[in-house]
Amino acid sequence: MEAKATQALLNELVETLKDGQNGYADAMTDVEDAKLKETFKKYAAQRSEYITEIEDQMFKLNLKPDESGSVTATIHRAWIDLKAAITSKDNTAVLNECERGEDYAVKAYQTALKAQDLPSAVKSVIEKQYQGVQEAHNTIKALRDSSK
């Protein structure tokens, strides 16, 4: 895979992870349920760790993380409606928005995993992170379903 394409793909994942990290941080501070707060805190921390892992891989490949954010991520903010849900303090509404964000993250990782000729270390990191993102999606979905 060409360096520029690898850089764009990894920057897209970083932006998706930043959206998730910020979304979970917002959700964590605005729900009252202690168990949900802990879950959101865990996933915000997970996303922060994943960002660091991807950026480490980028530096090893002499690729630059995009500080300005990608056009796709700017247009396609998956967590955009979280603020409205949070203001209602409705756990189901917040979990609906978190799951929507997770749907987007899962798709972003699935797209990244289809990329051809990624360096093996990068592909390994993406595969490991995809498992964590998938697990987060399933947990959020189950919490949402049980809150109805």
Side-chain angles (χ1 to χ4, degrees), residues 4-72:
K4 195 169 190 127
T6 300
Q7 181 173 324
L9 180 130
L10 294 177
N11 277 324
E12 192 64 38
L13 285 180
V14 167
E15 285 304 310
T16 299
L17 291 166
K18 285 179 181 178
D19 284 348
Q21 179 186 19
N22 292 333
Y24 280 125
D26 288 344
M28 176 182 65
T29 60
D30 289 317
V31 294
E32 294 171 5
D33 182 289
K35 186 176 177 186
L36 278 182
K37 278 185 186 288
E38 277 305 307
T39 300
F40 295 155
K41 182 179 179 180
K42 172 181 145 184
Y43 291 133
Q46 176 197 64
R47 301 308 154 94
S48 177
E49 178 185 318
Y50 287 1
I51 290 165
T52 301
E53 289 174 356
I54 290 177
E55 288 179 342
D56 285 349
Q57 290 299 314
M58 292 179 81
F59 286 121
K60 288 176 184 173
L61 296 169
N62 205 25
L63 303 173
K64 284 187 67 155
D66 184 4
E67 300 301 323
S68 65
S70 71
V71 175
T72 307

Side-chain angles (χ1 to χ4, degrees), residues 2 4 7-8 13 25-26 37 51-52 62 73 84-85 91 106 115 123 125-126 134-135 140 144 146-147:
E2 186 184 320
K4 195 169 190 127
Q7 181 173 324
L13 285 180
D26 288 344
K37 278 185 186 288
I51 290 165
T52 301
N62 205 25
N91 289 349
V106 166
K123 186 150 182 113
V125 166
I126 292 172
Q134 187 68 54
E135 183 269 329
I140 294 298
R144 190 233 21 226
S146 68
S147 74

Side-chain angles (χ1 to χ4, degrees), residues 84-148:
I86 287 172
T87 58
S88 71
K89 303 257 189 215
D90 175 8
N91 289 349
T92 303
V94 172
L95 287 163
N96 275 332
E97 292 309 313
C98 289
E99 196 215 346
R100 209 167 62 95
E102 287 300 337
D103 286 343
Y104 183 73
V106 166
K107 286 179 185 138
Y109 272 87
Q110 288 171 341
T111 298
L113 287 169
K114 290 177 187 169
Q116 299 297 312
D117 302 323
L118 275 175
S120 61
V122 172
K123 186 150 182 113
S124 176
V125 166
I126 292 172
E127 286 171 346
K128 178 191 75 76
Q129 289 183 358
Y130 173 65
Q131 298 305 314
V133 167
Q134 187 68 54
E135 183 269 329
H137 173 272
N138 294 343
T139 298
I140 294 298
K141 186 173 191 266
L143 287 168
R144 190 233 21 226
D145 291 348
S146 68
S147 74
K148 290 181 179 178

